[in-house]
Structure formats: structure tokens, C-alpha cells
Amino acid sequence: SMLQRLAATLRRPAAVPLAAAVRCISSGSVDITVPLNYWAGKRWTSKEKCNKENVYEPATGRVLCHLEPCGAVEVDEAVEAAKSAFGHWSKMSGMERARIMIEAAHIIESRREEIAEMEVVNNGKSITEARLDVDSARLCIEYYAGLASTLAGQHVQLPGGSFAYTRREPLGVCVGIGAWNYPFQIAAWKSAPALACGNSMVFKPSPVTPVTAVMLAEIYAEAGAPEGLLNVVQGGQETGSLLCHHPDVAKVSFTGSVPTGKKIMEMASKGVKPVTLELGGKSPLLIFQDSDLENAVRGALMANFLSQGQVCSNGTRVFVQKNILPEFVEEVVKRTRAIEIGDPLLESTRMGALVNQPHLEKVLSFVDQAKKEGATVLLPCILLANTINDLNTMTCVKEEIFGPVMSVLSFETEEEVLQRANNTTMGLAAGVFTRDVMRAHRVVEHLKAGSCFINNYNITPVEVPFGGFKMSGIGRENGQVTVEHYSQLKTVFVEMGDVDCLF
Ligand SMILES: NC(=O)C1=CN([C@@H]2O[C@H](COP(=O)(O)OP(=O)(O)OC[C@H]3O[C@@H](n4cnc5c(N)ncnc54)[C@H](O)[C@@H]3O)[C@@H](O)[C@H]2O)C=CC1
Ligand SMILES: NCCCC(=O)O
């Protein structure tokens, strides 16, 4: 079965040289010994040596490196470095910042393969997907480099020749806290808009995937950024909490789970710091009977199986109109069986390993629970919800599984499916497949989700805003609007006459 094969991938004995001969590295062969903390232009080992933790390679279960979590001293040093860089960077023109960011994008392009390989070794996703993640990171930096020189305020005329103007100013030292599902891409999606606006950043990757964010920090430095512009501190909750509470931190941008997002918001509230929260989802995908079935099936696969299903925006509740359910199920099962699962460094692999053993077990337990609750298990990764009790009562339909598990539900009317689709506390994404253009826009208008797709799913071009409604988050990443989340407006009143004094 698909999940058993995934489990086997995860448990494969160490050091089996499975990768293509042309590749520089192979699964099970990499040991990372260089320090992974980075600030003030250098890699650092942590002073808290006793807290070292193992970091595993998902594809083999082998120890890849050791995480050295940063304590208060290191966090202070990193924030200090970012403050110093902010002094220089914020005074540069947008054009000057853009030049350095474009150079960073060129370096990423030239090191695409190396970065992608390290992402695979640390995260377990296929090399094909990892390359696309590196491209997305590069494109995001290019995009915000383009916007850097367009940042401007407004001139407002007031009576008597007086006027006011607004300045769009950076916030200061921003903190980025990342998840393990898109380690390099998340570091870029957070740092690119922050830096374009003139901020500096301290980034904390997930302790599960500490390897590639530091590569991005070094790339900015190599491109000519001032020392300390992007700093990386490793660690988990404690390090994250030190960053959120730090008095010199102006903003926190977080990607991860809803429970942690709430904690981040609470911590940031102590210092009245703005937050961007990119949290989880339980997104619906609506497939109407007039859809192009082949594209709908492709969309459902894209909505569920990228990054081994470990994607926040996944459309895991696939609602299919009753008349086409048998056809849809047959085709989606056929296409799913054909997914090439294996060593993520192989070109032929389309699905690699889940991020670690505990996560795999958690995903499998959702499948077991679904069976107990009456779902028909078509493949371990496709659950067909029984039409009587599927009205958002089954655990697999309510909770974020964050694995390659698609729940298929049937519906009869547009009104009914909209009610069921919106019956969730989350609202990150949603999708609709239909050939009826009127229906498509009508449905999208009623879907309570921040990112809606018509006749596609899970594409994230960096030019468009991405983010959630309801408990899926606050703020947006990507697109022009994100500039507003990494800058603040200063209004300047200019009096050209006498002060009209009331006293
Ligand atoms: N929305 C998304 O993209 C993601 C959702 N998830 C969901 O979350 C579940 C758990 O995954 P985790 O990586 O443990 O997510 P998490 O939300 O606990 O961790 C995400 C990041 O926050 C940091 N963090 C954790 N507690 C913190 C605290 N108190 N203060 C500051 N930073 C803190 C972590 O070290 C990590 O860098 C997954 O199984 C999945 O359901 C996980 C990753 C991404
Ligand atoms: N490439 C999409 C990223 C979505 C996520 O953070 O899960």
C-alpha cells in the first residue's frame, strides 16, 4: 500500500547508495558537521552544548546532524547583529537594496541543485519538488527586489497651501519563524518582503529542518548585504519564545500550526508587535459534475499529495457531485496508485518520505481512526466518507492530518456543498472545478477562504497574495500587499501659514 511503502522508505537501512550516478550526494550519505547558527556574517556553534538534539534524514531515519539550540545570549547576539545591519540597510535606497537582492537571486539560481539536494536530505520531499521550491524562493526575492524601488508615500493637499505627506518606513528587526514543510522557501517568502522594505531579520527554522535557511543567509551576505541582514538562530519553542519576547524585535512572521500561532500572537501582544500568521487548514475542493474530469482529478492530486501531503493549503476535503463520484473515484485511485514513491533524490520519484517517524505514525493513526468511524478506505491515502455520517463529524474530515490522505465526500447541490465546505474553523484555501463560469465565481464568492482556486489547485505564484481567513491566519505573504505587513506609515503635517491657536 502507499503508506506502507512510505513507511518502508522511512525505515530503509542507512547508506544505501540509491541516487543517480550524476548526483553529488545520495540518500544516507550526508553528514552535516558545520554549525547551523549564523549571525554577524559567521556560522556559530551554540554555547549551550548540552542541549544538542539529533536531526534525522527523513528518507533513511539516519542522524543527519545535531541541532544546537540558541539560548538568551545567542538570541541577543543575533538580534544585535540585525539591529546593526538595519542601521545601514534602512538608509539605502530601494534601488540599492534591489541590486543586492537580485544578486542573491542569481546566486540561488547558480546553486539551485545544491540547495535542492540539501532540502531533500533534510525534508524528505522529492528532488523535483525541491527544485521548484528553490525556484519559488528565487522568484520571490526577484519579485520583491522589483518592488523595493516602488515603495512610496502620498502627498495630500491641505487648506492654505499646507500639506501632508506619508512615508513608508521599515519596522526594524523582524523575526521569521518557519515550519518544516518548506524550509528554504519559507525563509525566502519571509525575508524577501522584509528586506525589500528596509528591515533586517532573525529567522528561526523548525528544529526538524535546520539545514537550508543558513544557506540563504550566506547567499544574501555573498550578494553584498550588510553583515547581520539575515541571521539564523536554531532551536525550538524556547528559542522561538525568546525571539517573540525580545524588546528589540519589531514584528513576528510565523508559519506553522494553529496552536503555536495562538501562542505567538499572545507573546507578540505583550510588546504590541504586529504578526503575520500563516497557519493550518482543512480546505475544501468542490468538484461539480460539469467539470473537465481529467483536470479535476489532476487538481485533486495537486491538492493532496505535494510534499507528501504536508502542505498547509491542501484541499483535503474533496467534495464530488454525486453523479460523477464513481468515475472520479476510479480515476483518482488509478492515478494515485501510479505515483512513484521512493528515494527522494531519484529523478523518477514523485513522492518521498514523511518528515519523521512520529509524524508518519500520527498520519497512519488518522487512517485507522477513519476506518473505525466508518470510512471506506480505497487506498490507505484515499478515504471515502460514508454519506450518512460524513457531515463534518469524522475526524479525518475535521482535523488537519498533514499527510498524503485525501478524504472524498459526495454532495448533491451547490447550496449544500457550500454550507459543508464552510463548516470549519479554518479558511486557508478552497477550490472549485466547473465549466460553468457563473457558478465558479458565485461559489468562490461564498467560500470563506483566503486563497481560492478555480479549475486548479495549490499553485502559489509569488505575485499574488497568499494567506488565510478565520483561524488559518492573519496577514498575507507574497504579492504587493505584503509590503504593508513589513512597513509602517509615517504621516508628516506641514504648516505653510500661521498656527490657528485656540488659546
Ligand atoms: N501551516 C503549515 O504550513 C504547517 C502546519 N503544521 C502543522 O503543525 C503540526 C506540528 O508541526 P510543528 O512543526 O510542531 O509545528 P509548530 O507550529 O509547533 O512549529 C512551527 C514553528 O514554530 C516554532 N515554535 C513552536 N512552539 C513555539 C513557541 N511556543 N514559541 C515560538 N516558536 C515556537 C517551532 O520551533 C517551529 O519553528 C503538523 O503536524 C501540522 O499539522 C506544521 C508545519 C507547517
Ligand atoms: N508552497 C506553498 C507553501 C504553503 C505552506 O507553507 O505549506
Side-chain angles (χ1 to χ4, degrees):
S1 73
M2 185 167 175
L3 281 177
Q4 279 158 349
R5 279 190 284 154
L6 274 172
T9 305
L10 201 66
R11 292 183 192 120
R12 192 172 14 247
V16 180
L18 290 167
V22 288
R23 195 165 293 299
C24 307
I25 59 168
S26 59
S27 292
S29 70
V30 180
D31 290 309
I32 295 166
T33 51
V34 284
L36 297 170
N37 294 304
Y38 183 91
W39 58 85
K42 277 195 221 109
R43 290 197 182 222
W44 301 87
T45 48
S46 165
K47 293 177 182 70
E48 302 200 1
K49 293 240 182 322
C50 51
N51 290 336
K52 271 190 179 184
E53 292 163 26
N54 286 342
V55 176
Y56 299 94
E57 178 182 23
T60 61
R62 184 175 172 268
V63 175
L64 178 65
C65 59
H66 295 98
L67 186 87
E68 299 187 346
C70 288
V73 173
E74 287 99 344
V75 165
D76 276 348
E77 284 178 15
V79 172
E80 203 45 53
K83 263 172 78 177
S84 161
F86 177 72
H88 305 289
W89 186 248
S90 58
K91 289 185 184 64
M92 288 163 65
S93 70
M95 289 286 274
E96 288 167 327
R97 292 199 292 267
R99 199 173 303 127
I100 290 171
M101 292 178 71
I102 289 290
E103 180 56 24
H106 286 152
I107 300 171
I108 292 174
E109 197 166 22
S110 68
R111 293 177 59 186
R112 180 185 192 234
E113 201 58 19
E114 177 202 346
I115 301 165
E117 286 179 358
M118 292 318 290
E119 196 77 328
V120 172
V121 167
N122 195 189
N123 166 277
K125 67 176 70 189
S126 73
I127 183 73
T128 305
E129 278 195 48
R131 287 185 190 120
L132 299 177
D133 292 359
V134 175
D135 292 346
S136 168
R138 171 181 57 79
L139 288 166
C140 186
I141 294 168
E142 284 175 4
Y143 175 75
Y144 284 105
L147 284 189
S149 62
T150 70
L151 302 179
Q154 208 187 3
H155 177 271
V156 182
Q157 293 180 3
L158 297 172
S162 294
F163 61 95
Y165 61 95
T166 57
R167 292 165 50 84
R168 190 157 282 286
E169 295 189 355
L171 300 169
V173 177
C174 296
V175 156
I177 298 182
W180 44 256
N181 56 342
Y182 285 87
F184 190 77
Q185 188 198 81
I186 290 173
W189 280 19
K190 294 195 186 303
S191 61
L195 302 192
C197 292
N199 305 285
S200 57
M201 180 167 265
V202 180
F203 185 82
K204 191 195 80 59
S206 164
V208 178
T209 51
V211 175
T212 48
V214 61
M215 296 171 90
L216 181 61
E218 285 182 326
I219 286 169
Y220 282 124
E222 191 186 332
E227 227 169 61
L229 190 63
L230 176 63
N231 309 277
V232 176
V233 293
Q234 303 290 350
Q237 298 191 25
E238 278 172 35
T239 313
S241 161
L242 286 166
L243 287 168
C244 294
H245 284 125
H246 201 290
D248 292 332
V249 164
K251 184 213 161 85
V252 183
S253 175
F254 169 78
T255 298
S257 63
V258 175
T260 306
K262 289 184 193 172
K263 286 186 204 158
I264 301 275
M265 200 171 169
E266 201 181 323
M267 288 187 280
S269 76
K270 306 272 190 269
V272 197
K273 296 171 190 174
V275 289
T276 295
L277 300 177
E278 209 278 271
L279 309 179
K282 192 70 199 174
S283 302
L285 171 59
L286 282 48
I287 299 178
F288 285 89
Q289 62 193 23
D290 63 354
S291 306
D292 174 329
L293 192 71
E294 162 120 23
N295 274 313
V297 169
R298 287 185 193 171
L301 299 176
M302 289 296 284
N304 281 275
F305 298 144
L306 283 173
S307 199
Q308 295 75 243
Q310 303 163 137
V311 186
C312 52
S313 50
N314 272 1
T316 47
R317 293 183 295 141
V318 181
F319 292 94
V320 183
Q321 206 159 17
K322 202 173 172 187
N323 290 354
I324 58 162
L325 184 67
E327 253 179 295
F328 173 84
V329 164
E330 188 187 332
E331 194 54 27
V332 88
V333 167
K334 193 172 95 196
R335 297 276 301 246
T336 304
R337 276 191 207 287
I339 295 173
E340 194 72 41
I341 300 169
D343 182 335
L345 278 173
L346 292 182
E347 293 296 333
S348 56
T349 295
R350 283 295 167 272
M351 191 180 280
L354 268 76
V355 78
N356 56 32
Q357 186 75 34
H359 190 60
L360 172 71
E361 279 156 18
K362 185 176 143 200
V363 171
L364 289 170
S365 75
F366 273 106
V367 179
D368 283 345
Q369 178 77 10
K371 272 189 220 162
K372 287 185 196 133
E373 289 175 2
T376 305
V377 181
L378 298 169
L379 281 174
C381 54
I382 299 184
L383 309 174
L384 184 60
N386 164 335
T387 48
I388 298 162
N389 71 357
D390 72 2
L391 295 170
N392 292 340
T393 57
M394 293 172 71
T395 313
C396 66
V397 179
K398 283 192 299 191
E399 289 184 23
E400 186 178 41
I401 300 176
F402 224 64
V405 183
M406 177 194 303
S407 295
V408 180
L409 306 105
S410 82
F411 73 93
E412 294 192 31
T413 69
E414 185 180 311
E415 195 188 3
E416 168 217 336
V417 75
L418 276 169
Q419 191 276 324
R420 289 167 65 192
N422 287 330
N423 187 7
T424 162
T425 55
M426 294 192 269
L428 185 52
V432 53
F433 273 82
T434 175
R435 283 197 178 96
D436 178 344
V437 71
M438 307 288 272
R439 184 204 295 278
H441 295 287
R442 187 172 62 235
V443 162
V444 157
E445 188 189 339
H446 288 99
L447 284 169
K448 293 186 172 54
S451 307
C452 293
F453 302 92
I454 295 176
N455 292 332
N456 207 337
Y457 206 92
N458 260 348
I459 52 165
T460 48
V462 296
E463 304 92 319
V464 297
F466 178 81
F469 282 11
K470 300 197 269 185
M471 284 171 81
S472 289
I474 293 180
R476 291 292 175 269
E477 300 206 291
N478 294 337
Q480 283 188 31
V481 71
T482 298
V483 159
E484 291 172 25
H485 300 299
Y486 282 102
S487 61
Q488 54 195 340
L489 271 193
K490 179 181 279 173
T491 305
V492 183
F493 300 91
V494 182
E495 180 57 60
M496 298 297 281
D498 294 327
V499 175
D500 195 4
C501 181
L502 292 178
F503 307 100

